[in-house]
Amino acid sequence: MENITKTNVWASDNFIDLLPPNPIREPFENAWTYMNMHYTKFQIATFGSLIIHELVYFVACVPGILFQFVPFMRRFKIQSNRPENFDGQWKCFKLLMFNHFVIQFPLICGTYVFTEMFGVPYSWEEMPSWYNLALRVFGCAVIEDTWHYFLHQALHDKRIYKYIHKVHHHFQPHFPSTVLGMGFFWGILLLANHFIILWLWVTVRLFETIDVHSGYDIPYLNVFHLIPFYGGSKFHDFHHYNFNGNYSSTFTWWDKIFGTDAQYKEYCAKLEAAKSKKGQ
């Protein structure tokens, strides 16, 4: 009888019940229900997705933009010898607007078609549990990172580099506005079991992408660094600095497996040696 009691206590449903109640569940449910009652699926999928995309993107960019005006934050800048300048940022912003509204918005317009074609539900009643959603978003990150690694490495082939990928590397000391790609669709195609997955995944992906392109390494204040094998801005910044190696977008395991982080390891070792020598 005692063993049965212990088993029931640690059953997944009972364990979730032991957690404190979610304080935002009720207002979120009300907002989601209101949205479904007052807007069509097409409006939610198209204009709602555009609003979420732009809002999350520019909110995520704010810290990195402000950092360049705060002297204290300069110690966290990775390529300190390459300061941002207005001309470079303005050129990047124009490319960004072209990317968002000429390339990405038409893709966003296809969201409704995708959800209808695959029967992706929108209702609150069909929304999966939070841990189910979290696992699916993590799965999207793993799939995107795998796709990104092998495609990114291929784009560095000398025969095609200058025609496709070079524009991204034009901004070597990159800043938050340099995001010229959205390769997260494979995870959505394979794992989306509710419309909210699209918004959750694009939110996580945008924050992560902007973080690695921020040009600042602030590990103690960055929650992404709590994730095992997370590369972060320092890892990806080396790719822009060195052009080769560190091809992954989020995690470091593919670079470790295939040895494409070798130059990065050598670079880090040299920096540590220089610090040690300076401290003597």
Side-chain angles (χ1 to χ4, degrees), residues 178-199:
T178 309
V179 182
L180 302 174
M182 290 288 293
F184 64 93
F185 298 105
W186 292 114
I188 293 296
L189 286 168
L190 295 171
L191 299 176
N193 61 347
H194 192 276
F195 179 75
I196 196 173
I197 283 284
L198 280 72
W199 285 2

Side-chain angles (χ1 to χ4, degrees), residues 7-9 44 71 82 92 95 152 159 186 272:
T7 302
N8 289 337
V9 168
I44 294 170
R82 294 179 179 270
C92 182
L95 282 171
H152 193 185
R159 293 167 293 183
W186 292 114
E272 288 298 319

